[in-house]
Amino acid sequence: MLAGNLPPFPANNKAHAPDTMNEKIKNSCKSIFEEHRGIFDIVNANDVLGYGLWNPDDAEAYWLNPALEHTLKAAGQNKNAVIRRVAERAFEAAKLLSQEPEKESAAFAANVTDIVETRLRILGRVRFVRTKKDGKLWYLVLIRPIRTLPGIIEAAKKLSRTQHIMQEISDVARVGGWEIDLESETITWSQVTRQIHEIEEPFNPDSRNIVQFYKEGKNRDKLIRLAKEALEHGKTINEEFKIITAKGREVWVRVIAHAEMRNGSCVRLYGTIQDIDEEVRARMELEKSRKEAEAANRTKSEFLANMSHEIRTPLNSIIGFSELLLENNDANDQQLYIKTVYQSAQILLDLLNDVLDYSKIEAGKLELHPEKNDLKSLCEQVLNMFSCRLSDKDVVLRLNMDSELPAEVLVDTVRLRQVLVNLLSNAVKFTNKGTIDLSCRLNGISISEDGKQIAGISFSVSDTGIGIPDEKQESIFDAFSQADGSTTRKFGGTGLGLTISNHILAMMDSRLRLKSTPGLGSRFSFDIEVPLCETNADFSGPNSQSPAKHRWTSRQEPRVLIAEDNPANMVLTEKLIGKFVPGAEFIRAMDGRIAIEKYDECPPDIIFMDIQMPELSGLEATDIIRNQYSDAATPIIALTAGIVQGQREETAASGMNDYLSKPTRLDDMERVLKTYVGE
């Protein structure tokens, strides 16, 4: 129909055509329809959705009729890209049409699948037309009906949005996709899958290199086995694996795989891989904590069972020999029975003290109370405690004291003695033959920042006992621990001694050191730094405001008021006092209120006051005596079996002069009586 060379589709066009109508092109289109009535009939035919007029010299110069404009709006922001694609194909068809002058129009198809993300082709025809007025050549593009285009494009938009959301979720959840196409022998990884493996582009996954990411050993073997089952039988995979990323990091992942089977053969494997490293490590940490808690519970259960055994054993002796004492009048037998009862009671007290000390340590309530002390005397006293225990063993107990040790130092005597007793007790327990040495030496004397002299002292306890295996030398310092279960059964004990000793030493800025060889023996040692005593320092006891010793002027022997609600303890207190003050006159009060009444009737020379009593506590009764009766002179001694932190300080604050713990020992009672009654 028309001949001649047509310009090619412009290569430098902008990305899209203007949205506003080009009035000039629109008027040209109107003129064409008026001048060519046949063309007007064609564009109004049923098989035409809409049309547009293009300037052959400028692909951006076009006008679309309202129907086509409205339809293409469904492509949203992709509308201009769709129009450009249609123009490209129309211009290509126009070039072919120019080479066949006998044809009136040329068909074209514009595939816009990649633009709207769904399979869609726009079909149309292009014709050459001219305006009679100026002879201008135009491309008239007729588009066939695309009734489903708005719905398809809208669905494509929704699909695109869904894919975008899924990609965001994939990024957040660290879930990647993958596919193994066995027919084309290709493997595809999503971007997140690549990120999980920490690989850089370019990288083409294949069946060999992807397996290398899985940690060698059971981990990789499991993957190969499960993959084989999926390929041969179509079994689904849902397992956790540990991979080694391209950067060398170990990461836990969950792999889910499905097999697509065709005629009994797998043609495709596809699925997901998720980074679950944090989840797995948190789960493993939780499992570790659970096992540790269960182990701790088992240890405590074993400890309680052992404690039950340890308590029942001396109780059996106490009850049994007490019954024999009631039935037997032989003096020699009675002496043996009493000695056994006393030793059994001491074992019970040691057990109880260990448990109570450990409870204080756990609560952070254990405190040090430094006082003047002669280290040589302390070590001799501790050593003497164990002499009788070795009477049936071929063991020599030796004391090695440095001759240059200072005469007196400031140290918590009770706690230092406790550490030494624990170490010697273990040495005696585990040594049947040879020697046990307690050594104390001076490391040197330094001057502190405040000008005080500080002595560095080393203590050690060595034995030739059974020794401790290397693998147990750390755990024996844990609470409730001994070298093994048989140790507890054979030798007894709570397993708390070394733990308590280490906590006490930690408060002194020290700790136990151990050297041990199984079958040859062990050596425990520690170092402490303690201030030297000033020459005239006064350390008179629990209450530095204690009154002077009484000298009885009106009577030969003192009047003693005992406030105690337990009858057995009342009798015991009288007997202990009577041993040192045989002619003492005792006044009994079963609670604090009665104690006040007895005091009011006849003031005593000294009062022994239980802390916990019905009606009126010992602290309350003391407060009444000190304040309401204005009596600051009469000594009041606290008696308590309590372990409450700060109770010693409470008794002093209430006006009590001294403090005796239950069970009360003879030497403690003797000290109090010498202090407040006299020789």
Side-chain angles (χ1 to χ4, degrees):
M1 175 179 166
L2 294 172
N5 294 324
L6 295 175
F9 189 82
N12 59 347
N13 284 338
K14 296 178 183 179
H16 59 276
D19 288 332
T20 58
M21 292 186 297
N22 187 316
E23 288 296 326
K24 182 178 179 181
I25 300 176
K26 178 181 177 182
N27 291 332
S28 296
C29 189
K30 182 179 179 182
S31 298
I32 290 170
F33 288 161
E34 291 174 349
E35 296 166 358
H36 303 280
R37 187 67 187 175
I39 293 177
F40 178 78
D41 293 337
I42 291 173
V43 298
N44 284 288
N46 291 332
D47 63 345
V48 176
L49 166 68
Y51 56 88
L53 194 64
W54 261 268
N55 184 346
D57 300 321
D58 184 359
E60 292 185 3
Y62 65 88
W63 175 79
L64 305 179
N65 80 317
L68 183 57
E69 179 83 27
H70 176 74
T71 300
L72 294 181
K73 279 184 178 179
Q77 62 182 9
N78 296 320
K79 170 190 167 187
N80 291 326
V82 172
I83 294 173
R84 178 183 173 83
R85 180 67 55 79
V86 170
E88 288 175 349
R89 300 296 174 262
F91 272 57
E92 290 171 358
K95 184 177 181 180
L96 295 175
L97 180 62
S98 67
Q99 299 171 5
E100 301 180 53
E102 70 278 4
K103 290 186 178 181
E104 293 186 344
S105 64
F108 67 86
N111 190 335
V112 294
T113 299
D114 59 320
I115 299 174
V116 298
E117 298 184 356
T118 190
R119 292 184 180 181
L120 178 64
R121 289 197 308 165
I122 298 177
L123 305 178
R125 303 188 71 83
V126 61
R127 299 174 66 98
F128 297 148
V129 294
R130 290 183 185 273
T131 52
K132 290 182 178 181
K133 183 177 179 181
D134 54 12
K136 169 70 176 170
L137 177 67
W138 298 90
Y139 291 168
L140 178 64
V141 178
L142 308 174
I143 303 299
R144 293 182 62 182
I146 316 174
R147 295 183 179 87
T148 59
L149 179 61
I152 290 174
I153 294 178
E154 187 63 29
K157 287 166 65 180
K158 291 181 179 179
L159 177 62
S160 176
R161 177 60 180 163
T162 300
Q163 290 174 337
H164 178 68
I165 292 172
M166 291 301 295
Q167 182 61 43
E168 289 181 330
I169 293 173
S170 176
D171 291 341
V172 172
R174 298 278 288 166
V175 179
W178 57 270
E179 178 191 58
I180 301 176
D181 191 324
L182 299 174
E183 292 182 323
S184 63
E185 297 184 350
T186 58
I187 297 177
T188 306
W189 279 7
S190 72
Q191 186 60 34
V192 175
T193 302
R194 293 173 176 270
Q195 291 172 1
I196 291 173
H197 289 80
E198 295 185 324
I199 59 174
E200 307 267 340
E201 297 290 355
F203 174 81
N204 295 317
D206 59 48
S207 59
R208 293 179 301 277
N209 59 28
I210 61 175
V211 172
Q212 301 305 313
F213 283 103
Y214 289 78
K215 189 171 183 179
E216 196 171 3
K218 293 181 179 179
N219 199 66
R220 187 183 296 177
D221 294 343
K222 180 172 71 170
L223 173 72
I224 295 172
R225 175 176 55 81
L226 293 176
K228 184 179 180 182
E229 292 176 357
L231 291 170
E232 293 178 355
H233 308 293
K235 294 185 68 174
T236 296
I237 299 173
N238 188 346
E239 287 288 339
E240 295 177 358
F241 298 93
K242 183 181 284 188
I243 65 170
I244 309 296
T245 70
K247 294 183 179 180
R249 290 196 316 118
E250 291 191 358
V251 176
W252 282 97
V253 297
R254 176 177 291 281
V255 175
I256 298 176
H258 297 280
E260 182 180 328
M261 308 296 286
R262 189 182 302 158
N263 299 324
S265 298
C266 180
V267 296
R268 186 169 72 108
L269 273 178
Y270 63 96
T272 62
I273 179 170
Q274 182 179 11
D275 182 346
I276 58 170
D277 195 62
E278 290 185 6
E279 173 192 335
V280 172
R281 294 188 188 281
R283 191 172 69 227
M284 292 168 66
E285 190 64 31
L286 185 62
E287 179 66 12
K288 179 183 175 183
S289 298
R290 183 186 67 80
K291 289 182 177 180
E292 287 176 351
E294 288 179 351
N297 283 334
R298 282 195 301 271
T299 301
K300 288 190 176 182
S301 296
E302 292 169 2
F303 166 74
L304 290 174
N306 179 48
M307 281 295 294
S308 175
H309 171 77
E310 292 295 314
I311 290 172
R312 285 174 178 274
T313 299
L315 272 178
N316 180 62
S317 298
I318 292 171
I319 294 171
F321 282 108
S322 296
E323 287 179 336
L324 288 174
L325 279 171
L326 294 173
E327 300 293 332
N328 196 308
N329 295 321
D330 186 276
N332 292 330
D333 286 346
Q334 287 181 350
Q335 187 68 22
L336 175 62
Y337 299 162
I338 292 171
K339 181 180 179 182
T340 305
V341 168
Y342 177 78
Q343 291 173 343
S344 299
Q346 281 297 124
I347 293 172
L348 278 177
L349 183 59
D350 290 343
L351 290 171
L352 183 60
N353 285 338
D354 275 354
V355 175
L356 297 183
D357 280 343
Y358 185 71
S359 69
K360 288 181 183 179
I361 289 169
E362 283 198 321
K365 301 296 185 181
L366 196 66
E367 294 183 353
L368 298 179
H369 299 281
E371 59 184 356
K372 183 172 65 174
N373 182 268
D374 177 0
L375 292 178
K376 182 178 181 181
S377 297
L378 173 63
C379 291
E380 289 175 346
Q381 291 170 11
V382 171
L383 215 62
N384 289 335
M385 292 172 61
F386 292 92
S387 298
C388 60
R389 299 193 192 181
L390 295 172
S391 58
D392 58 344
K393 290 187 175 184
D394 185 15
V395 176
V396 177
L397 196 57
R398 300 185 301 199
L399 176 62
N400 302 309
M401 299 295 297
D402 191 334
S403 60
E404 296 184 359
L405 282 170
E408 291 181 327
V409 296
L410 279 179
V411 68
D412 188 321
T413 308
V414 174
R415 294 306 175 187
L416 179 57
R417 180 190 292 116
Q418 185 175 359
V419 172
L420 295 175
V421 167
N422 280 336
L423 297 180
L424 281 167
S425 178
N426 283 342
V428 170
K429 186 187 301 182
F430 299 117
T431 305
N432 292 319
K433 184 178 181 180
T435 59
I436 297 175
D437 292 303
L438 170 60
S439 299
C440 179
R441 62 182 177 83
L442 177 68
N443 290 335
I445 296 178
S446 59
I447 305 298
S448 65
E449 292 182 357
D450 56 0
K452 293 183 179 179
Q453 289 185 307
I454 305 296
I457 310 294
S458 287
F459 292 89
S460 67
V461 174
S462 305
D463 64 60
T464 57
I466 62 176
I468 302 167
D470 292 343
E471 66 274 13
K472 298 293 183 180
Q473 291 185 16
E474 287 294 329
S475 63
I476 62 168
F477 293 105
D478 297 334
F480 315 114
S481 294
Q482 291 186 336
D484 55 52
S486 64
T487 302
T488 299
R489 291 189 295 271
K490 184 176 181 180
F491 297 101
T494 62
L496 289 173
L498 292 178
T499 303
I500 293 170
S501 297
N502 241 349
H503 277 285
I504 292 172
L505 290 175
M507 297 173 70
M508 298 179 180
D509 297 322
S510 182
R511 65 173 289 108
L512 285 173
R513 299 186 299 271
L514 168 63
K515 290 184 179 179
S516 184
T517 303
L520 297 180
S522 304
R523 182 180 186 270
F524 288 87
S525 61
F526 62 92
D527 299 330
I528 59 173
E529 292 187 343
V530 291
L532 299 185
C533 285
E534 297 179 10
T535 306
N536 297 317
D538 178 21
F539 302 94
S540 56
N543 188 348
S544 60
Q545 302 300 318
S546 299
K549 299 176 185 177
H550 275 242
R551 297 299 178 188
W552 319 111
T553 55
S554 59
R555 296 173 307 280
Q556 291 296 317
E557 300 298 344
R559 181 183 294 115
V560 181
L561 171 60
I562 303 175
E564 169 65 72
D565 62 327
N566 184 283
N569 286 336
M570 174 75 78
V571 173
L572 178 60
T573 304
E574 289 180 354
K575 296 298 183 184
L576 291 174
I577 296 171
K579 182 174 179 61
F580 301 104
V581 190
E585 177 186 346
F586 295 109
I587 304 169
R588 293 186 175 186
M590 300 303 292
D591 61 52
R593 193 170 301 282
I594 296 174
I596 295 298
E597 294 173 358
K598 297 291 186 180
Y599 175 88
D600 187 60
E601 292 173 3
C602 185
D605 297 306
I606 186 170
I607 302 172
F608 287 84
M609 184 83 73
D610 187 22
I611 298 297
Q612 291 182 311
M613 292 185 293
E615 298 295 331
L616 203 65
S617 73
L619 296 176
E620 292 169 328
T622 300
D623 182 69
I624 292 173
I625 292 171
R626 295 299 190 214
N627 295 302
Q628 294 186 19
Y629 287 89
S630 300
D631 182 354
T634 303
I636 302 179
I637 313 302
L639 297 174
T640 181
I643 60 168
V644 179
Q645 176 67 19
Q647 196 169 75
R648 181 184 293 268
E649 290 74 15
E650 280 186 337
T651 59
S654 71
M656 292 183 169
N657 300 91
D658 216 320
Y659 184 99
L660 285 176
S661 295
K662 298 176 184 177
T664 307
R665 300 174 63 92
L666 274 174
D667 53 354
D668 291 331
M669 180 62 77
E670 183 181 19
R671 175 187 62 79
V672 166
L673 291 173
K674 283 183 177 180
T675 301
Y676 300 99
V677 175
E679 299 293 340

